[in-house]
Amino acid sequence: MRKFNVSVNGKTYAVEVEETEGGAPVASAAPVAAPVTPAPAAAAPAGGTAVNAPMPGLVLKLAVANGTAVKKGDKLVVLEAMKMENDIVAPAAGVVTFAVKQGDTVETGARLATIG
């Protein structure tokens, strides 16, 4: 058996592949794929609420200045993904501290900001 990591639609799976001689099919070949747990996004500082990217994309705009007091539902970041602009809003009220800047490219789960 040989082991490989395979990524499908952003999810990584650990798979085992059995080699056969001469390319003959294996009678009981069954997929043995188990999801590989991705590293969790960085935890928010104590008492803070993390704002993470729901999808990979480009940070087009920071809607408020760093250190601004925001209310739940206020627009924080405009994230471009697949040629669409997506508003990322505050999940809680507090003071926003950004972890990204305009022009940054982020992956799914990347920290955008913390609201404390």
Side-chain angles (χ1 to χ4, degrees):
M1 289 281 194
R2 293 180 61 189
K3 295 182 181 182
F4 297 92
N5 287 331
V6 179
S7 293
V8 178
N9 293 331
K11 293 185 180 182
T12 303
Y13 298 91
V15 296
E16 291 183 11
V17 179
E18 184 176 350
E19 290 185 66
T20 60
E21 291 184 31
V26 177
S28 63
V32 183
V36 173
T37 306
T49 301
V51 180
N52 296 326
M55 65 198 79
L58 172 69
V59 177
L60 284 183
K61 176 180 163 185
L62 302 180
V64 298
N66 208 20
T68 301
V70 296
K71 296 179 287 197
K72 182 177 180 177
D74 285 354
K75 180 172 29 172
L76 300 176
V77 176
V78 178
L79 186 65
E80 180 186 45
M82 296 179 61
K83 305 291 184 196
M84 294 181 62
E85 293 183 12
N86 302 279
D87 293 340
I88 309 302
V89 299
V95 176
V96 66
T97 304
F98 287 105
V100 295
K101 63 186 181 308
Q102 185 174 334
D104 285 353
T105 300
V106 296
E107 295 297 325
T108 302
R111 173 68 52 84
L112 299 176
T114 301
I115 299 177

